[in-house]
Amino acid sequence: MVAGWEVSMEASMKGIVPQMARSVAGKKLPPVPLEAQQVGASGKLPTSIMLFYQYVEPAWTPKQHRRALTFVHDLGRRHGVTGRGRCSTEGLNCTLTGSAEGIRAFAQGLRDWDSLFDETDFKITDGLDHRKKFKSLTIQKKEELVAYGLPVTAAPSLKDNETLHVEAVDYHKMMAQPNTVIIDVRNRYETEIGHFQPPQGGAEFIDPKVRNSHELPKWLGMPETQEKLKGKKVMMYCTGGIRCERFSALMTQLKNDNPDFKTEGEFMLRGGIERYVRTFPEGGFWKGKNFLFDKRQEQVPENKPKEETEKEVESRCCICKRFWGLYRGHFKCSEQDCQVPVIVCPDCAEVETSNPKCPLCEEGFKLRGLQAPALKKKKRKAEVQPASAARKRKVLRRDPSDRLFVGNLPLVTDAATVRECFGDGVRFIHWIPDRTTGLWYGSVFLQMSSLGEAKRIVDDSSIQSIRIGKRKLRIGFAPLAENERWPPSFKEADRPTLQHKVEGKAVDG
């Protein structure tokens, strides 16, 4: 916290725009503003951006999931919408760009297709520079909307969630209440450039210090975490709300499973930081910048002077340690099992930047060795799957191990693709050459961060096939053989170093 940073309740309410706090769920979409229809000096219309998510419960069947993917792609092409998103059997999560009319037509198209999207809070920002537009539309097929490591079959029910959604103005006032905590449910690298700072005597700010969402269930399962939350009003927030949905549902289930873990209620910020900052253009109790995963890169209070925002920055360049609040250049932490984004200032970016470390790795802080809390499985009456979907697929049966064997990978692939498929729990990838020919034929060993992570992957693959492209992968435990040397002495390669043949041509793996 920057010394001396303090905002009174009276000062924090300056210039608020209450109408910006209101969700459009169940309401008409906002009209297209006049300025969004005017061609700029570039000769192009301004760009609009839309953030939204919608969970589906009970989950879509595989057939419904495929239909949803096809429909969303077709709808985007029809209205000239670009961007990226995740589509899983548990719903849809997107950040999209396009013209003001095209964005609204896309949202209305979802509502017309399925009334479930009448409940969706479409967060639209108009009048952006046309260069902030995504070049194409990419909707990825995923197991989860947020990578908490909780398979759909084991994830806590959202319908049983007791957490209240609170609009920005009321949430703002809650931050001044005693016996209250406020949890930042984002990754630590996001928190570093900006977070809420409640007034003195109000809510206690809690940073879980997680590198990714996989670690949040582990953090919540820690006895010291539950002790800190016990008997308090528990507020939480994230960028747009989606990460709070599953996290808060997990809290509800843990409370139901553990009679000793009781709070004074849970409250999440409706529309997330994105809507709060638009409601409080002077900043309110927000300090710094809101990290964004689109081409805007960060969001700041519109009416706060830039120099004031810069003074609030707590983050530093990971090389020279000067205060700096911009992530530019795609620099990553050099620790193999971390690799989160790190801040490098322009001066340091021009010189040697080998082995940069994030603040958590420099501190030696780790949650990776912990296990996620064991959840009592509850049958959901509405979630009866067809026999064909419920039937478990064959998996390689061996003793459980934190090392996995994965076969039938595409012959043209790389480490980034494998990591994207299996998530942040992958610590090391070893490309397995054929013993006879020395060529690589699509098999790897994956060293996972824990036995729990390995079991999650195997369990998921037994319920629903895991694929890269059109290839269904073979997955199983790979315990070490007697006297086997592991891990290998060499560093992980980005792709197989041997050559193999693809359609008669030699390809450098």
Side-chain angles (χ1 to χ4, degrees):
M1 177 178 174
V2 175
W5 197 93
E6 183 68 36
V7 178
S8 67
M9 175 60 76
E10 181 180 358
S12 70
M13 297 292 287
K14 181 181 177 183
I16 70 168
V17 188
Q19 62 268 29
M20 297 304 298
R22 296 173 192 139
S23 167
V24 302
K27 303 174 184 175
K28 288 185 177 181
L29 296 168
V32 176
L34 182 61
E35 58 270 22
Q37 305 175 50
Q38 298 174 341
V39 175
S42 65
K44 298 183 179 181
L45 284 171
T47 290
S48 294
I49 190 165
M50 179 169 68
L51 286 68
F52 73 92
Y53 66 87
Q54 181 60 55
Y55 274 101
V56 177
E57 196 170 290
W60 281 325
T61 63
K63 185 176 182 179
Q64 291 171 325
H65 186 196
R66 289 193 296 272
R67 284 179 177 173
L69 271 168
T70 300
F71 178 81
V72 171
H73 275 116
D74 290 346
L75 186 64
R77 285 191 287 268
R78 195 183 316 151
H79 297 294
V81 167
T82 58
R84 56 192 181 193
R86 297 167 69 98
C87 184
S88 82
T89 56
E90 61 182 12
L92 186 63
N93 176 27
C94 295
T95 298
L96 305 176
T97 55
S99 68
E101 290 184 350
I103 283 291
R104 287 160 173 80
F106 183 97
Q108 188 58 51
L110 284 177
R111 287 179 166 184
D112 295 340
W113 176 64
D114 191 328
S115 60
L116 177 68
F117 288 93
D118 290 339
E119 306 169 10
T120 305
D121 185 8
F122 295 101
K123 296 175 282 291
I124 301 174
T125 301
D126 297 302
L128 300 175
D129 189 294
H130 72 277
R131 289 170 293 187
K132 301 299 183 185
K133 184 177 181 179
F134 286 102
K135 292 182 179 179
S136 60
L137 178 63
T138 303
I139 307 295
Q140 295 181 321
K141 183 179 180 181
K142 293 289 185 179
E143 295 299 312
E144 297 179 86
L145 288 190
V146 178
Y148 278 136
L150 301 172
V152 174
T153 53
S157 171
L158 297 175
K159 291 182 178 179
D160 296 336
N161 192 352
E162 299 170 356
T163 303
L164 298 179
H165 291 66
V166 181
E167 293 194 338
V169 176
D170 294 326
Y171 192 90
H172 176 85
K173 295 175 181 177
M174 282 187 68
M175 280 191 269
Q177 296 179 6
N179 198 44
T180 303
V181 296
I182 179 168
I183 306 172
D184 192 329
V185 185
R186 302 174 300 158
N187 304 319
R188 175 59 187 271
Y189 62 85
E190 299 171 69
T191 307
E192 285 171 11
I193 66 169
H195 58 82
F196 281 114
Q197 186 61 58
Q200 189 172 3
E204 175 190 358
F205 174 73
I206 297 179
D207 174 13
K209 298 169 72 171
V210 297
R211 290 171 170 84
N212 52 63
S213 295
H214 259 79
E215 295 183 343
L216 269 172
K218 302 174 185 179
W219 176 81
L220 187 55
M222 294 166 58
E224 53 266 45
T225 297
Q226 296 183 16
E227 190 62 34
K228 180 170 281 192
L229 306 184
K230 191 183 298 183
K232 306 283 182 63
K233 288 182 180 178
V234 179
M235 303 174 68
M236 63 191 74
Y237 69 91
C238 60
T239 307
I242 187 169
R243 285 178 275 188
C244 288
E245 295 283 3
R246 192 64 85 188
F247 177 79
S248 59
L250 180 60
M251 273 202 70
T252 293
Q253 184 159 340
L254 286 177
K255 285 167 56 182
N256 291 337
D257 292 348
N258 180 7
D260 293 329
F261 179 34
K262 297 297 180 185
T263 71
E264 291 298 313
E266 291 81 53
F267 309 88
M268 65 173 279
L269 174 58
R270 186 187 295 276
I273 306 162
E274 200 271 345
R275 178 162 280 132
Y276 178 95
V277 171
R278 293 170 64 192
T279 305
F280 290 85
E282 301 282 345
F285 290 137
W286 179 259
K287 180 175 66 169
K289 305 172 183 180
N290 178 25
F291 183 100
L292 297 174
F293 293 91
D294 56 61
K295 289 195 172 185
R296 293 175 294 172
Q297 298 183 293
E298 60 268 328
Q299 176 191 28
V300 297
E302 187 176 357
N303 295 341
K304 177 177 281 190
K306 182 179 179 181
E307 56 271 18
E308 287 188 28
T309 300
E310 294 301 331
K311 288 179 182 178
E312 296 171 3
V313 168
E314 299 177 3
S315 53
R316 297 174 183 267
C317 169
C318 70
I319 306 296
C320 69
K321 309 305 180 188
R322 66 185 279 202
F323 284 112
W324 198 255
L326 296 175
Y327 285 94
R328 299 291 187 272
H330 305 289
F331 294 101
K332 301 281 188 180
C333 178
S334 60
E335 291 292 318
Q336 185 65 42
D337 56 354
C338 180
Q339 298 192 342
V340 301
V342 294
I343 294 174
V344 177
C345 72
D347 292 340
C348 291
E350 293 180 359
V351 298
E352 178 63 34
T353 55
S354 60
N355 300 319
K357 288 189 178 182
C358 73
L360 291 182
C361 285
E362 287 189 338
E363 180 186 336
F365 182 85
K366 291 186 178 182
L367 284 171
R368 291 189 290 274
L370 299 175
Q371 295 291 324
L375 300 176
K376 296 180 181 178
K377 292 188 177 181
K378 296 181 172 66
K379 291 184 178 180
R380 302 178 192 165
K381 294 181 180 179
E383 295 188 33
V384 178
Q385 296 288 342
S388 58
R391 188 180 301 121
K392 289 199 170 187
R393 295 170 171 82
K394 292 183 179 179
V395 294
L396 302 176
R397 298 294 181 188
R398 290 181 179 173
D399 292 336
S401 164
D402 59 3
R403 187 176 73 166
L404 297 178
F405 169 84
V406 179
N408 201 36
L409 287 159
L411 294 183
V412 179
T413 192
D414 56 21
T417 302
V418 174
R419 288 181 180 279
E420 182 179 355
C421 177
F422 290 96
D424 297 324
V426 178
R427 292 184 59 187
F428 187 86
I429 301 171
H430 172 48
W431 311 94
I432 306 174
D434 182 80
R435 292 180 180 179
T436 303
T437 66
L439 302 179
W440 185 75
Y441 292 118
S443 298
V444 298
F445 285 133
L446 299 183
Q447 177 61 55
M448 306 303 293
S449 60
S450 68
L451 179 60
E453 285 290 319
K455 286 182 176 179
R456 178 185 67 81
I457 296 293
V458 172
D459 287 346
D460 286 358
S461 68
S462 71
I463 296 169
Q464 183 171 337
S465 300
I466 295 177
R467 299 172 182 266
I468 290 182
K470 295 183 179 181
R471 285 184 175 252
K472 186 184 345 182
L473 306 183
R474 294 189 297 121
I475 300 169
F477 296 115
L480 297 181
E482 188 175 354
N483 298 324
E484 180 180 357
R485 184 177 181 180
W486 183 263
S489 58
F490 49 82
K491 293 183 178 180
E492 176 185 309
D494 289 337
R495 61 187 73 243
T497 55
L498 302 176
Q499 290 199 336
H500 49 262
K501 293 185 176 180
V502 180
E503 296 180 357
K505 297 181 180 179
V507 178
D508 186 5

